[in-house]
Amino acid sequence: MSAFQNKVVVITGGSDGIGKALVDQFLSLGAKVATCGRNYDKLYQLQTQHSSRPLLIYTADVSNELDCKNFIDQVIKTYGTVDVLINNAGVSMRALVKDLAIDTLRKVFDINFWGTVYCTKFALPYIIKNQGTVVGVTSIAGYRGLPGRSGYSASKHAVNGWLEALRTELLDTGVNVMWVAPGFTTSNIRNAALNAKGESQGESPMDEKAMMTAEACATHIITAIEKRKRTLVLTAQGLQTVWLNKLLPSFADKLVHKFFFKNGELVK
């Protein structure tokens, strides 16, 4: 029997990419799943796909505190508790700091950082009672600032630090707090990334063919949750970036700059 049989798993941003892959896999493992997103049509398609399984969908914007509270309230009304919360909803950005509108930075933080805080705060009493798990899907950018992604990098650093503090506070409770850095993964996050003005750029500058699939990433995350790991850094490139930044930060600066720039222009 699966370790997640009849467990209540809450996943934010479950209509696309890694979030959707997590929904699919947890349902196949016998979990009761709840997910939220801003696009009702995508959520409805997901629910239709799993019509015979226990899946709660809820339209919510995680940057809105009341939406997060109402979402968790609906989860409790439907399932009675929360065993696992995966804060997956997020938005990226692509613009140089000199061109960037302050409101774009604020929007990225509201979704990536505050969305994690809101949902975790409202679900936490139930997770503590069940000695469950809180997960933050962050990024390699949460370990190493990436050019053109200043707001994204800052928000993911903030999430990592906040979850690390929470984990330390809860060490004696039996709750596991984990943060995951997927590395470059095939998903919609780059297509939906914000430009300097805070508008969706609508296309990805990255070649996604060689990237880890969302499904493979979800499998790694589920295994790490079952093993109650502290952190999970995925892809060889991601691990290399994290360790180089720790051991040889100035050298990492040069390598990261070379990766993202060509002839002085941001290309990725």
Side-chain angles (χ1 to χ4, degrees), residues 94-96 147-149 205 260-268:
R94 183 174 179 268
L96 297 175
R149 281 88 174 163
F260 281 96
F261 286 91
K262 186 175 182 180
N263 298 323
E265 296 292 327
L266 185 70
V267 295
K268 291 182 180 178

Side-chain angles (χ1 to χ4, degrees), residues 140-141 143-146 184 233 235-249 252 255-256 259-260:
I140 298 303
Y143 290 89
R144 158 77 221 189
L146 301 181
F184 291 123
V233 178
T235 78
Q237 186 181 50
L239 285 164
Q240 181 186 57
T241 302
V242 170
W243 282 105
L244 270 177
N245 202 57
K246 283 184 177 182
L247 301 173
L248 299 167
L255 287 181
V256 171
F259 181 81
F260 281 96

